[in-house]
């Protein structure tokens, strides 16, 4: 049995009913059987693992404000120079995403945009896919459509694409996709795979689930006969042996499929200097160590805001709240913003979190992964308390804060 709504065994039906009961406190009206079965299939109908996965997803959506992501304006450089676009459908009527990934300039992209924004752009795309594209395809075809085909064209892929910050960002996107949009991929077809592709694939493979790896079809330059078993030539651009061109005759259909290309240096952000941040603190985090910046938050719903840059190399960054009065290790504290390595040596980092509880918050700069290099950081951290006077005004913005103190 496939584990889909119209193809369940008795055991799978029983598992679905138990799952509904276990997660009923987080379910919405839109969370139908099709939705719930995605999480069950992703964890092979293991109730405990499926519940953990779904609850983590619900928490992530709240933390990242995913429900309002359609209001977020994607940076221009990502819109213009990230590869890929929806184009046509496969032989079963599922949408196809064509991605000439070999033409992306990962280094230029990360010099021009935050890694978090690159990932957020993919979240925005996936939300549109689930909330608009799939329902439209389903209505047009009179059957449930809830997965897509990805066609990766790796022509022009070279060793420059093994640029570590770029690979790290891509792997984070894969992890996000696996953790929060399970069973979205029908299959991935890789064409024009270069000779060194096994090296690149070994890097990303640990971030793929076993199911995703099994859905990946890897082809070289002689790909057309195999490709046409999945996608008809009538649904492909001319550059892939298909029938479509842009109105101006362009065989790549770049009006619908982002072609990437080198990011102009005019988009590159200059490295931030400490003098450019008023009252910046400069500190060196030793090799194999970390720095904990303490922020006392005495008022609920205050915000902590930060700016920082590093010289030469990346750094790990996360936000925590102490649960005891004495100093605690990161894994002993409440996680507010999960720690991740950021390319603050390429693009200065800034951000904020809302503190729903009072207490001592810790901004942790993590260099424990580096045993050979110290990291110099320029940072500014501020606590912003809600302006209670503004909140008494029904016409005031609920995002109004005043700076209380610096950490």
């Amino acid at each position: 049995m496939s584990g889909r709504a119209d193809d369940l065994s008795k055991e799978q039906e029983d598992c679905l009913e138990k799952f509904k009961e276990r997660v009923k406190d987080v379910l919405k009206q839109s969370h139908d059987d099709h939705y719930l079965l995605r999480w069950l299939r992703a964890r092979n109908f293991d109730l405990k693992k499926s519940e953990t996965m779904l609850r983590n997803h619900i928490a992530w959506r709240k933390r990242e404000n995913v429900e309002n992501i359609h209001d977020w304006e994607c940076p221009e450089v990502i819109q213009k120079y990230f590869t890929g676009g929806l184009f046509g459908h496969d032989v079963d009527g599922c949408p196809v995403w064509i991605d000439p990934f070999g033409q992306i300039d990962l280094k230029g992209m990360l010099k021009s945009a935050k890694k978090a924004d690159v990932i957020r752009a993919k979240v925005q795309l996936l939300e549109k896919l689930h909330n608009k594209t799939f329902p439209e395809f389903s209505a047009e075809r009179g059957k449930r459509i809830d997965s897509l085909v990805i066609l990766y064209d790796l022509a022009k892929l070279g060793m420059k694409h093994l640029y570590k910050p770029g690979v790290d960002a891509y792997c984070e996107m894969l992890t996000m996709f696996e953790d929060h949009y399970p069973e979205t991929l029908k299959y991935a077809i890789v064409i024009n795979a270069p000779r060194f592709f096994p090296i690149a694939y070994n890097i990303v493979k640990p971030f793929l689930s076993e199911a995703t790896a099994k859905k990946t079809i890897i082809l070289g330059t002689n790909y057309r006969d195999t490709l046409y078993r999945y996608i008809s030539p009538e649904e492909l651009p001319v550059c892939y042996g298909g029938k479509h061109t842009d109105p101006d005759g362009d065989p790549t259909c770049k009006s619908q499929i982002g072609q990437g290309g080198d990011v102009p240096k005019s988009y590159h952000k200059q490295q931030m200097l400490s003098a450019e941040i008023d009252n910046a603190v400069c500190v060196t985090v030793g090799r194999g160590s970390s720095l904990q910046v303490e922020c006392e938050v005495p008022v609920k719903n205050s915000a902590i805001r930060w700016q920082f840059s590093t010289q030469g190399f990346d750094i790990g960054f996360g936000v925590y709240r102490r649960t005891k009065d004495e100093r605690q290790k990161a894994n002993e504290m409440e996680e507010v913003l999960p720690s991740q390595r950021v390319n603050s040596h390429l693009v200065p980092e800034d951000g904020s979190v809302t503190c729903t509880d009072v207490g001592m918050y810790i901004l942790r700069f993590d260099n424990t992964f580096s045993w050979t290099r110290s990291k110099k950081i320029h940072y500014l951290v501020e606590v912003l308390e809600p302006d209670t006077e503004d909140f008494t005004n029904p016409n005031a913005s609920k995002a109004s804060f005043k700076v209380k103190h610096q950490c």
Side-chain angles (χ1 to χ4, degrees), residues 377-388:
I377 306 172
H378 300 283
Y379 74 85
L380 173 67
V381 180
E382 302 168 303
V383 174
L384 301 89
E385 294 182 1
D387 189 337
T388 53

Side-chain angles (χ1 to χ4, degrees), residues 334-389:
E334 176 187 334
E335 187 179 69
V336 178
L337 182 70
S339 182
Q340 62 176 341
R341 289 170 68 169
V342 293
N343 297 318
S344 49
H345 61 304
L346 299 177
V347 181
E349 284 287 322
D350 64 85
S352 63
V353 293
T354 300
C355 306
T356 55
D357 296 304
V358 300
M360 182 65 74
Y361 286 75
I362 306 298
L363 280 70
R364 182 172 182 265
F365 295 92
D366 179 16
N367 195 37
T368 57
F369 57 86
S370 178
W371 290 98
T372 59
R373 296 188 179 97
S374 298
K375 308 288 173 65
K376 181 174 285 189
I377 306 172
H378 300 283
Y379 74 85
L380 173 67
V381 180
E382 302 168 303
V383 174
L384 301 89
E385 294 182 1
D387 189 337
T388 53
E389 292 182 6

Side-chain angles (χ1 to χ4, degrees), residues 141-161:
R141 288 154 181 79
K143 63 178 181 179
R144 179 84 177 194
I145 300 290
D146 57 8
S147 62
L148 85 160
V149 177
I150 301 178
L151 174 61
Y152 283 111
D153 178 7
L154 300 189
K156 300 183 182 181
L157 191 77
M159 295 300 291
K160 67 178 182 179
H161 290 92

Side-chain angles (χ1 to χ4, degrees), residues 275-291:
E276 295 175 335
I277 310 177
D278 292 337
N279 302 317
V281 176
C282 180
V283 65
T284 297
V285 183
R287 58 187 183 180
S289 63
S290 64
L291 169 70

Side-chain angles (χ1 to χ4, degrees), residues 147-386:
S147 62
L148 85 160
V149 177
I150 301 178
L151 174 61
Y152 283 111
D153 178 7
L154 300 189
K156 300 183 182 181
L157 191 77
M159 295 300 291
K160 67 178 182 179
H161 290 92
L162 297 183
Y163 169 65
K164 190 177 185 302
V167 172
D168 291 344
Y170 185 70
C171 290
E172 284 194 37
M173 280 189 278
L174 288 177
T175 300
M176 177 274 295
F177 183 75
E178 294 278 6
D179 289 348
H180 302 295
Y181 299 91
E183 296 294 298
T184 295
L185 180 68
K186 185 177 181 181
Y187 36 77
I189 304 172
V190 178
I191 61 173
N192 293 316
R195 288 186 177 182
F196 81 94
F197 176 73
I199 299 173
Y201 189 60
N202 281 338
I203 294 174
V204 303
K205 192 173 181 179
F207 297 89
L208 304 177
S209 67
E210 183 179 351
T212 298
K214 288 180 178 179
K215 295 174 182 176
T216 303
I217 303 160
I218 301 171
L219 306 173
T221 55
N222 188 21
Y223 60 81
R224 292 189 178 182
D225 287 346
T226 302
L227 176 61
Y228 298 161
R229 298 176 196 168
Y230 300 91
I231 308 170
S232 167
E234 282 70 27
E235 295 297 322
L236 288 167
V238 165
C239 64
Y240 301 119
K243 307 295 185 182
H244 291 275
T245 66
D246 269 349
D248 63 0
D250 186 332
T252 66
C253 297
K254 65 182 178 183
S255 66
Q256 294 176 255
I257 302 169
Q259 298 297 308
D262 292 341
V263 176
K265 290 185 179 180
S266 59
Y267 281 103
H268 294 187
K269 295 185 177 180
Q270 297 299 314
Q271 178 68 30
M272 183 185 293
L273 302 175
S274 60
E276 295 175 335
I277 310 177
D278 292 337
N279 302 317
V281 176
C282 180
V283 65
T284 297
V285 183
R287 58 187 183 180
S289 63
S290 64
L291 169 70
Q292 292 192 1
V293 177
E294 299 182 344
C295 288
E296 178 70 26
V297 176
V299 179
K300 285 187 177 183
N301 297 317
S302 296
I304 300 176
R305 181 173 63 189
W306 60 83
Q307 303 173 63
F308 68 88
S309 64
T310 50
Q311 293 183 3
F313 306 98
D314 63 353
I315 194 81
F317 179 75
V319 181
Y320 304 81
R321 188 175 75 92
R322 282 187 185 158
T323 55
K324 297 180 181 179
D325 292 335
E326 67 269 24
R327 187 179 178 88
Q328 294 175 287
K329 296 180 179 178
N331 61 6
E332 297 172 338
M333 294 186 282
E334 176 187 334
E335 187 179 69
V336 178
L337 182 70
S339 182
Q340 62 176 341
R341 289 170 68 169
V342 293
N343 297 318
S344 49
H345 61 304
L346 299 177
V347 181
E349 284 287 322
D350 64 85
S352 63
V353 293
T354 300
C355 306
T356 55
D357 296 304
V358 300
M360 182 65 74
Y361 286 75
I362 306 298
L363 280 70
R364 182 172 182 265
F365 295 92
D366 179 16
N367 195 37
T368 57
F369 57 86
S370 178
W371 290 98
T372 59
R373 296 188 179 97
S374 298
K375 308 288 173 65
K376 181 174 285 189
I377 306 172
H378 300 283
Y379 74 85
L380 173 67
V381 180
E382 302 168 303
V383 174
L384 301 89
E385 294 182 1

Side-chain angles (χ1 to χ4, degrees), residues 42-172:
R43 291 296 179 264
N44 296 315
F45 282 80
D46 183 307
L47 271 174
K48 185 176 181 180
K49 291 180 179 179
S50 298
E51 180 181 357
T52 298
M53 187 183 191
L54 177 56
R55 290 189 182 279
N56 287 342
H57 170 71
I58 297 297
W60 170 79
R61 293 185 71 87
K62 181 178 180 180
R63 184 172 68 244
E64 300 296 328
N65 194 26
V66 175
E67 298 302 328
N68 296 315
I69 200 167
H70 58 278
D71 295 327
W72 176 70
E73 185 174 350
C74 180
E76 180 181 280
V77 67
I78 299 176
Q79 295 182 48
K80 284 189 173 182
Y81 291 96
F82 220 90
T83 53
L86 286 171
F87 194 96
H89 57 79
D90 76 345
V91 294
D92 296 322
C94 296
V96 174
W97 175 270
I98 298 179
D99 196 333
F101 189 75
Q103 299 178 180
I104 195 169
D105 176 10
L106 289 171
K107 190 171 186 177
M109 183 65 66
L110 291 177
K111 281 188 174 182
S112 307
K114 295 180 187 177
K115 179 176 66 174
D117 283 345
V118 172
I119 295 173
R120 191 162 180 78
K122 288 299 181 183
V123 175
Q124 189 180 60
L125 171 67
L126 286 162
E127 285 295 302
K128 182 179 179 181
L129 187 72
H130 279 272
N131 296 326
K132 186 174 186 293
T133 306
F134 285 157
E136 288 178 352
F137 270 64
S138 299
E140 290 171 3
R141 288 154 181 79
K143 63 178 181 179
R144 179 84 177 194
I145 300 290
D146 57 8
S147 62
L148 85 160
V149 177
I150 301 178
L151 174 61
Y152 283 111
D153 178 7
L154 300 189
K156 300 183 182 181
L157 191 77
M159 295 300 291
K160 67 178 182 179
H161 290 92
L162 297 183
Y163 169 65
K164 190 177 185 302
V167 172
D168 291 344
Y170 185 70
C171 290
E172 284 194 37

